[in-house]
Amino acid sequence: ETFELYPNPANGFFNINPSTNQESNLNYRILNLQGKVLSQNIIPGRTVSHIVLPQGMTSGLYVVEIQSANYTYRQKLIVLKSE
């Protein structure tokens, strides 16, 4: 079980598509490379969720973490902000 992030690189938003059969909700967190949590929320399992990037996020590399009762997965997210 994993999850898909798209578009990646992202500018303003991205989608999370959890590849899970779990009906239960999932927790997601956006972290910077120092491990600071920039955003977190709960999303429904088995559903594509549209996530708006937090204000103040600059271009760079971040980590998106998805967590359920049984697993934790992380993927890199590239943010490219257009000026």
Side-chain angles (χ1 to χ4, degrees):
E1 297 181 25
T2 61
F3 65 98
E4 180 183 11
L5 295 179
Y6 62 92
N8 193 4
N11 178 10
F13 75 94
F14 65 95
N15 297 298
I16 298 175
N17 183 11
S19 302
T20 179
N21 292 325
Q22 292 189 18
E23 298 276 344
S24 61
N25 289 339
L26 305 170
N27 296 311
Y28 85 85
R29 302 191 313 168
I30 303 172
L31 302 99
N32 66 17
L33 294 183
Q34 290 73 42
K36 180 181 176 187
V37 177
L38 304 175
S39 178
Q40 60 185 354
N41 213 331
I42 297 172
I43 57 173
R46 297 177 62 174
T47 303
V48 175
S49 295
H50 182 82
I51 309 298
V52 175
L53 294 173
Q55 289 218 331
M57 277 184 78
T58 57
S59 296
L61 185 61
Y62 297 87
V63 175
V64 176
E65 180 180 274
I66 298 290
Q67 188 173 36
S68 76
N70 301 323
Y71 67 87
T72 300
Y73 284 107
R74 293 173 189 88
Q75 280 193 34
K76 294 177 184 174
L77 175 69
I78 299 168
V79 173
L80 292 178
K81 291 283 195 158
S82 58
E83 303 305 323

